[in-house]
Amino acid sequence: MPREKLRELQSERLKTTVKRVYENVPMYKKRFDDMGLLPGDIKSVDDITKLPFTTKQDLRDNYPYGLFAVPMDDVVRIHASSGTTGKQTVVGYTKNDLAVWGEVMARTLGAGGITKSDIGHISYGYGLFTGGLGGGIGSETVGCATIPASTGNTKRQVTILRDFKPTFILCTPSYALTIAEFLEENSIPVSEISLKAGFFGAEPWTAAMRKEIESRLKLKAYDIYGLSEVIGPGVAYECELQNGLHVNEDHFFLEIIDPDTGLPVPDGTSGEIVFTCVTKEALPLIRYRTRDVGTRMTGLCGCGRGFVRMTKPAGRTDDMLIIRGVNVFPSQIEAVLMESENVAPFFQMIVDREGNADRLTVLVELTDENFSDEIRGLQEITADISESMRSMLGISVKVKPVPPKSIARFEGKAIRIIDNRKDVIF
């Protein structure tokens, strides 16, 4: 669709959505009224900055159904976050919302070359988490035979991969490496599985981790992006050129803002990712602040798709650590470790406060080949990684090597950060 036609479509859908939330969601009506704003004041997407932001706290404050814009009789599916850092955020779907979800996930898989002749292995969790059912609805919309493997029991997962011969997989990138590790530990040749593509998301991962997954599982690794509050997986996706994430912007309007001022930033400038749902019926969020940090890319992609692209999120403003005044993201630590041949791609960041000073310790797993009781060898490895991290971050970091397999493996999102300053685990 030409950009001008897409803009017209977005504008019409935005106007409809604004009217819907004003008439059906008390929180939005109050905010509009407090601002002196009426739905008719929104003429096009050019007026979107007139609208108020929505945050995750708003969903918690209106728990469980206070932000739903349709009667519960019209809601056919409910999902929710884990609630590990507070009250659960609850999301609802109408029948049409599920159709939209299937459509955007089908686009996601299609961009990776998946057709109805393929077989899908869904290793995201099935349940209140959106990953499993979101991946499944996309696979089924394409017309694939779909295996709802869910998470856990890696031995059984590998048996399914060997026997059922799925050609693509959806899971977290860290779990993909766990599968690779299991194959290697049990001397199972990767040629015994038939995966040609993997669609990985739900946690940050680097280009180096992509290479690691592709090398060890012999597949092409695609990045996918989504949030439960927006729809789940399928908000944005990589094409075969893997040059940024195409945003399904006929359904989710993208803004990049300065997280401090709330003002839009120029294309190519890093900021907080904000989405407005312009087709959602049950939970049409307005200017939802994701807390993810990214950049709106300029120019059309060589694949020919006309949707705007955004960079892979660099991290989250709410899981960004500030250590001695320096912003630190887990993805930066991962990038350093993936450059080292002496450690496995599993780590944890531990933050403590000694007096008035913060201290960051990074636990890194040694590989089997480099695990040794030789103090000198361990010191050299530690010193090299510490210097690389100091160069990357601009602050000193204590690196603590630990034995192979000693950092817990997670079937869902990996726990990367233990912040003892405020007793929060990410």
Side-chain angles (χ1 to χ4, degrees):
M1 181 180 290
R3 292 297 303 178
E4 61 273 16
K5 292 293 184 183
L6 176 59
R7 196 83 173 172
E8 291 175 9
L9 178 65
Q10 291 171 327
S11 295
E12 289 304 313
R13 289 178 168 180
L14 176 64
K15 288 189 290 183
T16 299
T17 297
V18 168
K19 185 175 185 291
R20 178 186 297 124
V21 300
Y22 184 79
E23 294 175 349
N24 296 287
V25 182
M27 184 197 78
Y28 281 124
K29 184 179 189 307
K30 183 178 186 306
R31 288 193 179 171
F32 283 27
D33 289 346
D34 289 346
M35 298 168 68
L37 184 68
L38 293 172
D41 296 330
I42 306 302
K43 309 294 186 185
S44 74
V45 288
D46 294 328
D47 296 323
I48 200 165
T49 55
K50 297 178 180 178
L51 295 167
F53 289 112
T54 309
T55 67
K56 181 171 284 190
Q57 189 59 46
D58 291 325
L59 278 87
R60 291 174 177 151
D61 290 344
N62 290 276
Y63 173 90
Y65 307 137
L67 295 187
F68 283 15
V70 298
M72 287 302 295
D73 284 356
D74 293 337
V75 175
V76 299
R77 174 83 65 77
I78 292 173
H79 283 282
S81 69
S82 62
T84 53
T85 58
K87 189 173 286 188
Q88 288 180 304
T89 56
V90 179
V91 296
Y93 301 77
T94 65
K95 185 176 181 180
N96 187 63
D97 290 337
L98 292 182
V100 168
W101 200 4
E103 176 188 344
V104 296
M105 275 304 295
R107 292 176 183 174
T108 299
L109 299 177
I114 301 305
T115 71
K116 64 181 298 183
S117 300
D118 286 294
I119 301 174
H121 183 101
I122 317 300
S123 282
Y124 284 122
Y126 278 72
L128 289 178
F129 173 61
T130 56
L133 285 161
I137 197 173
S139 180
E140 291 164 3
T141 300
V142 172
C144 305
T146 304
I147 305 167
S150 194
T151 58
N153 196 340
T154 303
K155 180 179 179 181
R156 181 171 176 270
Q157 299 260 358
V158 170
T159 297
I160 293 171
L161 290 170
R162 296 171 77 185
D163 295 350
F164 294 9
K165 303 299 182 184
T167 54
F168 68 95
I169 187 171
L170 284 88
C171 63
T172 61
S174 57
Y175 192 60
L177 288 177
T178 298
I179 291 173
E181 189 176 68
F182 183 91
L183 293 173
E184 293 156 5
E185 288 176 349
N186 291 276
S187 301
I188 300 172
V190 73
S191 59
E192 291 191 8
I193 64 176
S194 303
L195 296 176
K196 65 179 184 181
F199 300 85
F200 307 114
E203 63 188 22
W205 55 304
T206 61
M209 194 169 184
R210 184 206 299 273
K211 291 179 181 178
E212 180 90 1
I213 293 170
E214 291 183 334
S215 172
R216 294 170 72 177
L217 290 179
K218 307 303 180 188
L219 51 71
K220 188 161 185 176
Y222 293 90
D223 197 6
I224 61 175
Y225 174 83
L227 306 93
S228 297
E229 301 92 321
V230 177
I231 201 166
V235 175
Y237 58 89
E238 281 188 322
C239 67
E240 63 273 17
L241 299 182
Q242 297 179 321
N243 182 25
L245 294 154
H246 294 265
V247 178
N248 282 303
E249 58 175 329
D250 54 337
H251 297 292
F252 317 111
F253 186 80
L254 171 70
E255 296 177 83
I256 306 292
I257 65 166
D258 183 313
D260 296 322
T261 67
L263 298 175
V265 300
D267 287 354
T269 303
S270 179
E272 182 180 346
I273 298 168
V274 173
F275 284 110
T276 297
C277 305
V278 295
T279 56
K280 287 276 293 297
E281 294 177 341
L283 187 68
L285 297 182
I286 301 294
R287 302 193 79 196
Y288 182 70
R289 298 187 63 159
T290 68
R291 300 300 181 187
D292 287 329
V293 177
T295 303
R296 180 185 173 111
M297 300 174 67
T298 58
L300 290 177
C301 181
C303 73
R305 291 175 177 86
F307 285 150
V308 69
R309 288 170 296 145
M310 68 180 199
T311 58
K312 174 194 285 287
R316 296 178 64 88
T317 59
D318 55 0
D319 76 5
M320 177 185 74
L321 294 170
I322 300 178
I323 308 294
R324 299 191 293 278
V326 175
N327 297 342
V328 178
F329 290 100
S331 56
Q332 294 173 299
I333 301 297
E334 181 182 285
V336 171
L337 296 181
M338 293 299 294
E339 293 295 321
S340 174
E341 298 179 352
N342 299 310
V343 296
F346 299 96
F347 68 95
Q348 272 192 333
M349 303 162 63
I350 301 175
V351 188
D352 296 289
R353 178 162 290 156
E354 295 181 351
N356 294 320
D358 295 331
R359 183 184 67 180
L360 174 60
T361 301
V362 180
L363 306 183
V364 298
E365 274 193 12
L366 297 171
T367 60
D368 290 320
E369 296 79 11
N370 288 283
F371 182 59
S372 169
D373 290 330
E374 280 189 36
I375 300 298
R376 182 177 178 182
L378 292 178
Q379 288 176 337
E380 289 178 355
I381 292 172
T382 301
D384 287 345
I385 295 174
S386 295
E387 175 57 27
S388 295
M389 289 188 182
R390 187 199 64 75
S391 178
M392 164 76 79
L393 303 174
I395 59 172
S396 59
V397 176
K398 180 180 180 181
V399 175
K400 183 178 179 181
V402 296
K405 318 299 186 298
S406 60
I407 294 177
R409 304 299 192 254
F410 296 92
E411 294 154 0
K413 295 183 181 182
I415 295 177
R416 299 293 199 198
I417 303 170
I418 299 176
D419 192 340
N420 293 323
R421 298 172 301 180
K422 52 189 177 182
D423 245 356
V424 173
I425 296 178
F426 296 80

